[in-house]
Amino acid sequence: EAQVTQNPRYLITVTGKKLTVTCSQNMNHEYMSWYRQDPGLGLRQIYYSMNVEVTDKGDVPEGYKVSRKEKRNFPLILESPSPNQTSLYFCASSSALAGVGYEQYFGPGTRLTVT
Amino acid sequence: QKEVEQNSGPLSVPEGAIASLNCTYSDRGSQSFFWYRQYSGKSPELIMSIYSNGDKEDGRFTAQLNKASQYVSLLIRDSQPSDSATYLCAVNSNSGYALNFGKGTSLLVTP
C-alpha cells in the first residue's frame, strides 16, 4: 500500500529534550515536506526537500532541523523543543517538484506536546 | 508572502444540497491548485487537483478554476453528512516549490 508513515503518532516531552519525528514514504517520491498545523493559523510549511541531500526552509523553520540522507526518509529534528512548538505535525510527499502532478500525500500526523 | 484566502465558515447545507466552497489566491504565477478534505484530528486527504481554467469533475466533486480572476472553487453535489469536514485550498506557484494552504472552510451537512 502506498503510504507516508510517521512516528511517533503522539509525543509528550519536556522543554529542551531533543527529539526526532521520523517520516518515511514508499512511493519513491522526490519531494518531501514537513508542516505544522495550529488552530487559527492553518498548515504552515517548516522545511522541504527536493531530493537526497537537497533541503530548503519553508515559512517557519526556526527551531527545527531536517536531513534527507535516503530518498524514502525525511526526519524532523527538534534539538531543544520549547512549548511554542506544541503542535500537530504532518509529513507529506509528492512525485513532482511543482506544476502538473504536484499532488502531495500526507502522513497521519504527529501530535507533539512540549511542557 | 503568497496568500490563499478562504472563508472560515462554518458553511451549513442540508443533506442532498450543493455545497460551494471558494478560494482566492494572490500569486498570478500559480499553476497548480488542490482541494483537500480534513476531518478533525486527521491528516489532509487530497480530493481534487486542477491545473487549467475551467471545470474538472470527479464523482460528486467539481473543481472550477479561473486564473484571470484568481479564484478556485469546489462544488459538492448531493452533500452527505459524511462530507462534514474542513476543506483546504492549496496553491503552488511556479516560482517555488512550496504548497501554500488556505486556513480552510468548515462544512457542516445537516441531515
Side-chain angles (χ1 to χ4, degrees):
Chain A
E1 179 191 355
Q3 60 183 351
V4 179
T5 56
Q6 294 179 228
N7 282 291
R9 295 288 312 281
Y10 302 91
L11 179 59
I12 300 174
T13 190
V14 296
T15 298
K17 185 176 180 181
K18 181 179 178 179
L19 67 92
T20 299
V21 183
T22 64
C23 173
S24 184
Q25 50 91 6
N26 63 0
M27 296 171 278
N28 200 36
H29 283 173
E30 303 284 335
Y31 182 98
M32 298 185 74
S33 182
W34 276 103
Y35 297 87
R36 62 177 288 175
Q37 187 173 39
D38 303 289
L41 297 177
L43 274 164
R44 295 179 293 169
Q45 190 173 46
I46 303 170
Y47 269 96
Y48 60 93
S49 170
M50 289 81 79
N51 210 329
V52 174
E53 302 292 2
V54 182
T55 63
D56 206 352
K57 297 177 181 179
D59 295 324
V60 288
E62 294 77 21
Y64 304 94
K65 285 178 58 177
V66 293
S67 68
R68 186 100 181 265
K69 292 183 169 51
E70 303 169 281
K71 194 173 185 180
R72 63 181 293 130
N73 296 324
F74 189 44
L76 180 69
I77 302 158
L78 286 73
E79 296 220 325
S80 183
S82 62
N84 65 12
Q85 293 178 298
T86 292
S87 188
L88 180 57
Y89 291 86
F90 292 105
C91 180
S93 72
S94 173
S95 59
L97 301 183
V100 176
Y102 187 54
E103 289 88 358
Q104 291 196 19
Y105 297 94
F106 284 77
T110 295
R111 187 166 293 280
L112 172 66
T113 302
V114 183
T115 61
Chain B
Q1 178 73 17
K2 300 178 178 65
E3 307 231 333
V4 180
E5 301 285 345
Q6 296 180 255
N7 189 320
S8 63
L11 172 66
S12 184
V13 300
E15 184 175 357
I18 296 175
S20 178
L21 305 161
N22 299 311
C23 170
T24 60
Y25 58 94
S26 63
D27 185 1
R28 283 198 171 274
S30 300
Q31 60 176 12
S32 310
F33 308 86
F34 307 92
W35 284 99
Y36 287 83
R37 177 175 63 197
Q38 186 177 26
Y39 295 109
S40 180
K42 302 296 186 181
S43 60
E45 174 193 7
L46 179 70
I47 52 174
M48 290 288 285
S49 59
I50 187 166
Y51 303 101
S52 4
N53 280 329
D55 295 0
K56 178 181 177 182
E57 186 175 317
D58 184 0
R60 296 186 296 114
F61 299 99
T62 298
Q64 300 174 315
L65 175 61
N66 185 325
K67 289 185 179 179
S69 299
Q70 294 177 243
Y71 85 81
V72 56
S73 63
L74 180 70
L75 301 177
I76 307 175
R77 290 181 298 281
D78 188 23
S79 295
Q80 301 297 308
S82 57
D83 294 325
S84 298
T86 296
Y87 289 80
L88 304 173
C89 174
V91 176
N92 169 238
S93 165
N94 64 0
S95 63
Y97 299 107
L99 192 59
N100 300 302
F101 283 84
K103 293 180 182 177
T105 298
S106 175
L107 173 66
L108 178 63
V109 181
T110 55

